Every structure is written in C-alpha cells, then in structure tokens.
Amino acid sequence: MTTPLTLLYAPGDRPEVVHKALASGADAVIVDLEDAVSPGRKDYALAATAELLSSLQPLPVHVRINTPHDIEALTGLPGLCALRIPKVAHATDIQRIAARAPGVPLYGLLESALAIEHAYAIATAHPAVHGIALGEADLRADLGVRDGAGLDWPRTRTVIAARAAGLAPPTQSVFPDIRDLDALYASCAHGRSLGFLGRAAIHPRQLPVIERAFRPTREEIEAAEEIVKAAATDQGALALPDGRFVDAAVVAAARRTLSLARREPS
C-alpha cells in the first residue's frame, strides 16, 4: 500500500460530503465514525458507510471506527482499504481488533501519554498494523500542553517507533485552522523536518498546501540525483564533486527522495 501524502477526513453521517471528498484530489479519504459524528447519528453513519463500501471506490477509503460493532459491520466490504483505531493505548488493543478484522490493514492512533510510552509495542503488535499516527487534540489535552512545541517529543517518538517497526513514516495530525494556509505550510514543513510524511486534512483547500510542503524541492531533487548518479559508479562510502562523503544510508535516502518526486500530483 503506497503511503498517501494527503488524507481527507469526511463525516460518515454526511454521504454527500464523503462523495465530494472522493473527488477532491486527496490520495485517500478517511470516513470518520468517531468525533465528527454526534451520538444520535452514529448508527446512520455506520449504515451509510457500509453502503458506500459495499462497492469499490475511486480512492483508498480508511474508516476511523467508533465502537467494536463498526468492525464487524465493515470487515469484508470490497471498498474498505483500512481501519483507523482511535485511542489505542496498548498492543492488546490492536491485537483484539486484528482478531475481529482478519486481513484488514490497521492504523493505530496514539492519543494519550500511555500510548506514546507504548508506541513501539503498538507498532509491532500484529502484522496487520500498517502504520501509527498521533491524535494531537486529545494528546494535547492529556499532556496539558498549550502549544505545538510541547508535542515535539511525542511526535519524534512516534516517528522513531514507526521506523524501528519497519512501518512507513507517520502522517501528521490535522491542522484545525482551515483559513490560515501559511501556518499550515509552516506546520507541515516542521513536521517534515521531524520525519513525518504527508498529513490528514479536514478541508479540501488544505490539500494542495500539504502536497507542496511534503514534495521534494527542486534543490532536493538535484542533490538526490547527484548522489544516486555517483552511487551508480562507486560502492560503499563515496565522495561527491564538492568534497562531501556519503554512505549507503544517504544513498538510500536520496532514492526515496526521487521516488517521492516521481509521484503523480494529486
């Protein structure tokens, strides 16, 4: 499964918004059955989502579940790409869900201090785990931090846990202000510097900003091309024309940069 750069949330109780999300240009859509749906509309949201996923969709569709009943209602539907599991705190949370959703890729959402402490255990809890990510609103409340800087250690911890588990880099949590696109870009650039790849969005206008922030710049592409070209004629540690030495890990990173640059824009 290719790691998406842009994932767009849509509330499960508003099928018209979900269909617009599927045509938004996002790499994937997350149908939300949890926080975005009021308690009185949970059953309708699940029924509408099950109807949608009864057939294949033009984009990968992930579902953020609300209760274990959602798992039973959605598992096996042809349009379901993955389940996103909120408020995971222990490896056993993932293992219980994997047993109820055989063959379904799972993403654990870390939203508490306890989840951050168990990040690697969650990331390696079951072969069905395809990724982990942060739920920053709940995590911020749990930790009592007032600004984004207070979340940088949990963010880095999540990136390290995913890498150590052999998973794709995590995608960033949503940016709540849909009007301040400059701040969104700056936040994405910071997340990218920490090792995140891609981001969830709550409005289509955020998608091109996220795409631009996580795609390699022309300078990064040229530097990667230089490294890969040099590696084609040498082995092990090698010297670039400007005198810098690079090793196999740097070459691998350069190849990842070029692979990302070749992705079709959304």
Side-chain angles (χ1 to χ4, degrees):
M1 187 184 301
T2 301
T3 302
L5 284 186
T6 53
L7 305 95
L8 181 60
Y9 270 98
D13 64 335
R14 297 186 61 190
E16 73 283 3
V17 175
V18 175
H19 284 288
K20 287 180 180 179
L22 289 167
S24 66
D27 291 334
V29 169
I30 303 174
V31 178
D32 192 8
L33 302 181
E34 196 206 17
D35 290 344
V37 180
S38 63
R41 290 177 62 83
K42 298 287 189 184
D43 290 343
Y44 171 69
L46 177 58
T49 301
E51 181 179 358
L52 172 79
L53 298 180
S54 64
S55 59
L56 294 173
Q57 297 302 312
L59 295 179
V61 177
H62 299 201
V63 177
R64 181 165 73 169
I65 64 170
N66 182 60
T67 70
H69 175 61
D70 299 343
I71 303 168
E72 298 166 353
L74 300 175
T75 296
L77 295 179
L80 178 66
C81 179
L83 294 175
R84 302 183 81 87
I85 316 302
K87 298 177 175 61
V88 174
H90 301 273
T92 52
D93 297 336
I94 289 288
Q95 292 160 359
R96 282 194 294 266
I97 290 172
R100 303 176 72 164
V104 179
L106 303 178
Y107 289 79
L109 303 181
L110 315 183
E111 305 183 59
S112 66
L114 185 59
I116 298 302
E117 286 297 296
H118 294 160
Y120 179 71
I122 292 167
T124 56
H126 194 276
V129 177
H130 281 226
I132 56 175
L134 289 175
E136 290 195 357
D138 284 1
L139 181 60
R140 190 189 303 261
D142 189 41
L143 296 177
V145 299
R146 295 187 177 184
D147 56 36
L151 294 180
D152 275 358
W153 187 87
R155 289 166 177 160
T156 299
R157 177 75 180 93
T158 303
V159 170
I160 291 171
R163 179 61 178 167
L167 302 176
T171 52
Q172 273 188 280
S173 185
V174 299
F175 189 81
D177 189 340
I178 65 172
R179 296 165 299 177
D180 195 341
L181 299 182
D182 289 339
L184 169 62
Y185 183 87
S187 175
C188 289
H190 180 62
R192 187 182 175 202
S193 74
L194 295 176
F196 287 88
L197 180 62
R199 187 164 202 162
I202 55 175
H203 194 282
R205 74 177 60 168
Q206 295 178 317
L207 299 176
V209 178
I210 295 170
E211 180 88 22
R212 180 165 55 92
F214 282 97
R215 279 189 174 275
T217 64
R218 168 48 51 188
E219 292 76 14
E220 289 170 335
I221 293 170
E222 290 175 352
E225 288 173 338
E226 181 181 31
I227 291 169
V228 170
K229 181 180 178 180
T233 59
D234 205 340
Q235 300 294 325
L238 53 96
L240 299 179
D242 62 4
R244 285 178 296 143
F245 276 84
V246 295
D247 59 15
V250 175
V251 174
R255 289 184 174 131
R256 288 195 296 270
T257 295
L258 296 181
S259 177
L260 184 59
R262 288 192 292 268
R263 290 167 57 111
E264 289 294 328
S266 59

